[in-house]
Every structure is written in structure tokens, then in C-alpha cells.
Amino acid sequence: MVCFQTDYLQVEHHSKNKVLVTQWYGGCSSLQYRQALIQIMRIARDLQVHYIILDRRLLQPVTTEDLTWTCTIYAKAYTKLPLRKVAVLQAFNIITQQQQQQLYERLSDHIPVAAFEDLTSAYAWITE
């Protein structure tokens, strides 16, 4: 079921396996980026998901301020969710990938995080 959709992001809930899949489709403004992450957090909390797949392949680089916010405020809130695993589809853009790696390192201190090249492999790992 699609829970949230914009021009730059879609969030799907797979209730059978308690999986949330977030798929970025490109860049967006700073405000849109932060609001989207907050919306993902709310959906994950409200649906009590256990697994999240972060498909960030098409996400564009964010500002230094947004990166700091993501790695501090957002990461802290993220670790309070009842998550068991996080699968990541790494960004195609090398700068975005380097930025997002900082978030994954923070999360991996609290939640198992693994990187994948395709959605099928990520989903298989999440649900094994």
C-alpha cells in the first residue's frame, strides 16, 4: 500500500512482513527533504514497522545543514523506532552516497544496516 507519494519520494507499506520501502526519485528543496524524512518517521512509528528499505539511488546531494540535521536529530529519532533491520540501496551519485554513509554509520550502532544494489536482494535480506 502506498502511504505517501510526491514527485520526489514514494513510501510503501508491506503489511504482511511489516516492511516500509522508501524510494527517492530525485532532488527536492531543503524543506521538502526534512518534511519527507519526518513523514517517513511518522509512518514507520504509526504502522510499527520492523524493517525499512531505504532506496536512495536517485536521491541528490543535500546541503551541509540538511546533512547535519539528518545525522543528528533525524538519526536519533530513527533509533527510537522498533526496527530490527535497515536495508539501503546506495545512491548513484557519489556525493550523495558519501553523505548518506554518515547516516548509515550512526544507525548501525543501534540497528543492523546492510547495503544492496537492488531491491530484490534488499527485500530478501530484510525478510529472511
Side-chain angles (χ1 to χ4, degrees):
M1 167 181 78
V2 175
C3 302
F4 181 74
Q5 187 168 18
T6 66
D7 293 343
Y8 51 88
L9 174 68
Q10 178 173 297
V11 180
E12 295 177 13
H13 180 239
H14 299 229
S15 58
K16 179 182 175 187
N17 294 316
K18 295 191 172 202
V19 176
L20 198 66
V21 179
T22 66
Q23 295 179 293
W24 290 87
Y25 297 129
C28 57
S29 73
S30 175
L31 178 61
Q32 290 170 323
Y33 172 77
R34 291 185 189 205
Q35 286 179 336
L37 292 182
I38 291 167
Q39 185 66 23
I40 292 166
M41 184 79 58
R42 285 184 183 141
I43 292 167
R45 184 192 63 230
D46 292 349
L47 297 175
Q48 291 294 298
V49 297
H50 293 160
Y51 312 102
I52 292 185
I53 299 174
L54 305 174
D55 182 349
R56 299 197 165 189
R57 291 177 287 187
L58 299 177
L59 183 65
Q60 297 301 305
V62 297
T63 65
T64 302
E65 294 80 15
D66 285 338
L67 181 60
T68 300
W69 179 87
T70 301
C71 292
T72 55
I73 308 292
Y74 182 72
K76 183 177 180 181
Y78 209 85
T79 61
K80 294 180 181 179
L81 294 172
L83 296 175
R84 296 181 184 159
K85 290 182 182 177
V86 175
V88 176
L89 296 165
Q90 298 186 34
F92 294 139
N93 182 299
I94 190 68
I95 295 169
T96 304
Q97 179 52 36
Q98 291 168 348
Q99 288 180 335
Q100 297 302 311
Q101 188 63 38
Q102 294 177 47
L103 171 63
Y104 310 145
E105 288 170 5
R106 299 235 178 170
L107 295 179
S108 68
D109 290 341
H110 305 277
I111 308 163
V113 178
F116 298 90
E117 293 185 13
D118 63 274
L119 190 56
T120 303
S121 299
Y123 203 91
W125 178 77
I126 280 282
T127 59
E128 71 181 10

